[in-house]
Amino acid sequence: MENNPGLSVLCTDVKNAFNSVSRDSILSQVMKVFPEIYHHVRQMYDSPSTLIYVKGKDIVKLQSEEGVHQGDPLGPVLFSIALQPIIASVQDRHQDTTMLAYLDDVYVVGLPESSISVFDDVKGSLKDVGLTIRDEKCKLYYPDAPEHFATTVPITRVGVHVLGTPIGAPSYIQSSCTRVAQDGSSLCSKLKDLDDPQCSLLLLRHCHVPKMNHLARTVSPRDVSEAAGIHDLLTRKTFTDIIGLDRLDDTKWKQASLKIKFGGFGLTSIRGTAPAAFLAAWAHSLKELPNRFPSMCRDLENLYQSSPKNDSSTIRSTLYQAVSNLPPKSNLDDEEEVIYHTLEEMIKNPRKLQHRLSTDISCMEAATFTNRIVEEKDAGRMRSLQGRGAGGWLETVPTSDKHALKQNEFRLASCLRLGVCLPFSQLLVKCECGAELDREGYHLITCKYGGGPVWTHNTLVSGWSECLSDLLICHQIEPRHRYIHTEDRPDITFYDVDSGTTKEIDVAMAHPWSKDTIKGASTTCGYAATKREARKEVKYRKESLPDGSKPFVTPLVFEHFGRWGPKAEEFLNELAKKSKDMLGRKNEAAFRSYWRRRFSVIIQKCNSRVVLRKLSRLSLNCLDGQDKLEMDKAIHSSIH
């Protein structure tokens, strides 16, 4: 239409299409174009089927004699097989128009008079396969329509929706996108009311955040920008409510919008990824559409090649603007350099282009965000979060108590991940051990007063014990008198049948914010866990077994933010190789994923419960009167 301003788009609406298409037409076409499945289809559709539904107290039976069955996976293709020859024959009779169809959505692109002629032809032809077009539900998008244009089809001059995408005047496109963004408020308001923030966040990330992905691919970044901003703002507000905070500053929201593996919550900004989505969609289109519709080759080529770059309304200039919105590689360190292709190279190789560009954008955003952090404690937190398994609890569906975090646990774990000041931290100054409390709650997690670290350690040991039991590996927890001349003992000892050796594991937690690790942790991912593993290895090298041999001890270290140490990763991979499902098939990936998430939930549960228990004791021992009431209220109302 940009190449030919006089064209129109006619959108048809077929009445009750899937339930009305002729089964005789389906069977005859299946025999002609897909005979391999003819007998299967005939068995399902050659005779009427009985439909049953309850009306009040009565059971009503209906005989289904036409149309495809609801729920039949072959339904869409059987419907299309019946419709395809009708579309093809009408197209042959009207070469001056282009007909495009997706299932029962049929579109005619051409001059208005020709489109109306095609419309009348389609109406008559569809009756041969049992289908009826409703004139009042159809639309003719004709921007330059005269005042008295003779047609029974309703005319619109501003725009129309084609497969969910608005086309037409910029104001129509923008307002349509805005309505889609605002429609998300209904879902978001319900997510706030759920009493399970773990479920709420999963639904927010998987149902609300992707809501505008289709428009980001099919509408130019310029026209979708305002709606994307509304969508992102709604996501931010809902996330803030879910985790129980009054507000979230821009820095913390920037972290939350990062991917989970980069230390965020996976709440991707649609405005930020819209250029990559639009570029990828066009790159695919410019390669695929000429193969499917040879008649469009010239129009697409003219549209892409002939449009002047300085005209902001053209597709070519829009594509170049989208490329310019991608992050430049000069902003990245040498180790994190992202090489972007030119627009021409993208079109030549569009395979998984959106994924490639989005990944590059995410890497750049994470690197830029982390490198700009000034405080060592915050930098260490971010680098600790950027590890496999650290965010597993955010991807875990709470199908059982083992995978579920309670409301206050989930919200507190979210606050610790974001590094925000806990809402009640201003009410307390000192810990029971006498040390000053930090407002992020890190001291409460690691303080040995009250037995929190011991309880966390024992819980993790129990987790590894269950993991070994799943593989039917017999083991012993904390065997006494294991070594000569020392009372040290590993956490778990077991005999590995495959290697024929007795192996031992020692479980520990590492603190990225402790005095001896904070500097290294602020610049190196996983520094605290790696250093703790090295210490453990040095310690056990000095031990000896009763027969004089050296023990084979593997240190399994986690950081408090959930990151795994290298040795722990290796050990899990070794166990995964032994894993098989109930039918005896290899089950490595599923086993590895399950236990990464399981340990991630365990760590967050331990962190949260240790903090909440210590706060409860502190509120009893240190506060009086109104302060104590405020503290109790804060703790027992899920931190808020």
Side-chain angles (χ1 to χ4, degrees):
M1 292 187 74
E2 283 192 12
N3 284 332
N4 306 280
L7 295 184
S8 64
V9 177
L10 193 150
C11 310
T12 65
D13 183 270
V14 180
K15 180 180 179 182
N16 199 20
F18 280 83
N19 291 322
S20 303
V21 63
S22 166
R23 291 185 180 178
D24 289 339
S25 300
I26 291 175
L27 290 171
S28 63
Q29 285 301 311
V30 167
M31 174 58 80
K32 187 180 299 184
V33 301
F34 202 172
E36 295 87 349
I37 64 168
Y38 174 77
H39 293 295
H40 175 67
V41 175
R42 182 182 176 186
Q43 185 179 24
M44 292 191 295
Y45 290 102
D46 193 36
S47 58
S49 54
T50 303
L51 304 179
I52 301 175
Y53 74 98
V54 178
K55 184 178 182 181
K57 294 183 179 180
D58 300 326
I59 295 178
V60 181
K61 296 182 179 181
L62 296 176
Q63 293 300 307
S64 174
E65 300 179 359
E66 299 291 359
V68 294
H69 296 308
Q70 285 192 6
D72 179 8
L74 282 176
V77 73
L78 295 178
F79 176 87
S80 300
I81 283 176
L83 189 62
Q84 174 66 18
I86 301 295
I87 302 298
S89 63
V90 174
Q91 178 71 85
D92 288 341
R93 292 194 291 271
H94 301 271
Q95 297 288 338
D96 56 338
T97 61
T98 299
M99 294 188 69
L100 307 170
Y102 180 80
L103 299 176
D104 60 330
D105 292 318
V106 182
Y107 303 93
V108 183
V109 184
L111 295 173
E113 294 80 3
S114 300
S115 297
I116 295 300
S117 176
V118 172
F119 178 70
D120 293 336
D121 194 347
V122 169
K123 280 179 65 176
S125 300
L126 286 181
K127 292 179 180 178
D128 296 339
V129 293
L131 299 177
T132 304
I133 286 183
R134 295 182 292 186
D135 290 23
E136 70 280 2
K137 292 288 186 178
C138 300
K139 280 188 179 180
L140 177 66
Y141 170 47
Y142 183 13
D144 302 324
E147 196 66 32
H148 303 289
F149 184 75
T151 176
T152 58
V153 180
I155 297 176
T156 175
R157 295 175 176 82
V158 291
V160 70
H161 277 69
V162 176
L163 297 182
T165 295
I167 64 169
S171 58
Y172 175 81
I173 295 174
Q174 292 165 13
S175 62
S176 298
C177 292
T178 300
R179 279 197 298 273
V180 173
Q182 292 172 340
D183 286 345
S185 60
S186 174
L187 170 64
C188 290
S189 63
K190 294 175 182 177
L191 293 181
K192 297 173 188 177
D193 297 335
L194 279 180
D195 59 357
D196 187 343
Q198 188 175 0
C199 286
S200 294
L201 190 58
L202 284 168
L203 292 170
L204 179 69
R205 188 167 67 247
H206 292 293
C207 297
H208 171 72
V209 172
K211 186 177 177 65
M212 291 194 64
N213 283 355
H214 175 61
L215 290 178
R217 286 179 61 84
T218 56
V219 177
S220 72
R222 179 188 62 251
D223 291 332
V224 83
S225 177
E226 182 179 349
I230 295 172
H231 178 86
D232 292 344
L233 189 62
L234 186 57
T235 304
R236 177 175 180 173
K237 179 66 172 66
T238 307
F239 171 70
T240 306
D241 291 336
I242 287 174
I243 63 173
L245 295 176
D246 292 325
R247 60 181 297 275
L248 200 65
D249 62 41
D250 292 341
T251 302
K252 301 305 180 186
W253 169 242
K254 186 67 177 175
Q255 179 190 337
S257 63
L258 297 176
K259 287 190 174 182
I260 291 175
K261 67 178 181 179
F262 293 133
F265 285 77
L267 304 175
T268 309
S269 167
I270 297 298
R271 177 178 275 178
T273 57
F278 187 72
L279 279 169
W282 259 91
H284 278 284
S285 298
L286 288 171
K287 188 170 183 177
E288 282 293 325
L289 285 178
N291 296 331
R292 296 168 183 259
F293 305 99
S295 63
M296 296 179 68
C297 286
R298 186 178 58 189
D299 281 342
L300 282 170
E301 187 68 20
N302 290 341
L303 188 64
Y304 173 64
Q305 295 291 352
S306 304
S307 301
K309 294 183 182 180
N310 58 355
D311 183 355
S312 62
S313 66
T314 63
I315 288 297
R316 185 174 175 83
S317 64
T318 302
L319 293 173
Y320 274 103
Q321 288 171 15
V323 171
S324 67
N325 285 332
L326 296 175
K329 63 181 181 181
S330 59
N331 288 349
L332 306 175
D333 296 337
D334 291 339
E335 297 179 359
E336 297 153 342
E337 182 174 307
V338 178
I339 300 175
Y340 286 111
H341 303 294
T342 63
L343 181 58
E344 284 70 20
E345 288 173 331
M346 291 180 188
I347 293 170
K348 288 179 183 177
N349 182 27
R351 187 172 180 272
K352 294 186 176 180
L353 180 59
Q354 183 175 348
H355 174 74
R356 299 198 318 261
L357 292 177
S358 298
T359 300
D360 290 345
I361 291 172
S362 299
C363 291
M364 185 279 300
E365 289 177 342
T368 303
F369 179 82
T370 305
N371 292 337
R372 286 178 179 173
I373 296 176
V374 177
E375 298 227 1
E376 286 184 334
K377 185 166 61 173
D378 287 333
R381 171 177 55 82
M382 279 304 299
R383 296 198 183 276
S384 179
L385 291 172
Q386 294 172 5
R388 183 171 289 178
W393 59 283
L394 292 171
E395 300 175 302
T396 303
V397 180
T399 52
S400 68
D401 290 340
K402 294 179 180 179
H403 298 88
L405 290 162
K406 294 180 180 178
Q407 191 178 73
N408 54 357
E409 294 171 349
F410 187 88
R411 288 178 169 172
L412 183 53
S414 299
C415 289
L416 292 171
R417 185 176 179 87
L418 286 170
V420 299
C421 296
L422 301 182
F424 41 75
S425 57
Q426 72 277 7
L427 299 176
L428 299 170
V429 179
K430 287 192 175 183
C431 179
E432 291 174 290
C433 68
E436 290 190 3
L437 292 176
D438 58 296
R439 297 191 65 184
E440 293 85 2
Y442 299 158
H443 174 79
L444 295 172
I445 296 175
T446 57
C447 178
K448 295 181 180 179
Y449 197 93
V454 174
W455 179 72
T456 299
H457 169 270
N458 292 340
T459 305
L460 287 170
V461 171
S462 298
W464 280 115
S465 175
E466 185 180 343
C467 180
L468 293 171
S469 297
D470 276 358
L471 297 174
L472 303 178
I473 296 176
C474 295
H475 57 279
Q476 186 177 3
I477 297 177
E478 292 193 354
R480 292 185 177 275
H481 311 299
R482 179 68 177 161
Y483 307 124
I484 302 174
H485 309 309
T486 180
E487 287 300 317
D488 290 340
R489 56 185 182 269
D491 291 312
I492 297 178
T493 301
F494 66 96
Y495 182 76
D496 185 12
V497 177
D498 295 333
S499 63
T501 58
T502 299
K503 294 185 177 181
E504 302 168 343
I505 59 177
D506 191 85
V507 180
M509 293 293 291
H511 325 311
W513 58 84
S514 63
K515 291 181 180 179
D516 58 339
T517 58
I518 189 169
K519 192 168 187 64
S522 66
T523 57
T524 306
C525 294
Y527 177 85
T530 304
K531 186 173 182 179
R532 189 67 185 274
E533 286 182 348
R535 286 181 180 175
K536 290 280 186 182
E537 287 181 325
V538 170
K539 170 187 172 182
Y540 283 104
R541 282 197 204 108
K542 301 175 183 178
E543 307 292 356
S544 296
L545 296 172
D547 61 1
S549 62
K550 294 293 182 181
F552 187 82
V553 181
T554 302
L556 307 182
V557 180
F558 298 95
E559 294 184 2
H560 272 287
F561 291 115
R563 187 185 178 95
W564 292 54
K567 298 291 183 183
E569 276 278 353
E570 291 176 13
F571 184 72
L572 180 67
N573 290 335
E574 288 178 11
L575 294 182
K577 292 176 183 177
K578 305 175 187 292
S579 171
K580 296 180 180 179
D581 64 14
M582 297 180 66
L583 298 178
R585 298 169 299 192
K586 287 290 185 180
N587 197 34
E588 291 183 38
F591 181 89
R592 201 180 298 117
S593 174
Y594 173 86
W595 283 104
R596 278 206 187 103
R597 295 184 181 187
R598 178 71 184 283
F599 277 112
S600 182
V601 171
I602 289 174
I603 292 170
Q604 299 308 319
K605 274 188 175 183
C606 290
N607 288 343
S608 304
R609 290 182 181 181
V610 166
V611 170
L612 291 172
R613 287 176 184 178
K614 289 189 175 182
L615 285 173
S616 297
R617 283 205 305 272
L618 285 171
S619 67
L620 288 172
N621 299 335
C622 305
L623 299 176
D624 295 316
Q626 187 62 32
D627 285 345
K628 182 180 182 303
L629 290 175
E630 290 182 20
M631 188 67 183
D632 288 341
K633 182 179 179 182
I635 293 172
H636 294 294
S637 63
S638 306
I639 305 173
H640 194 278

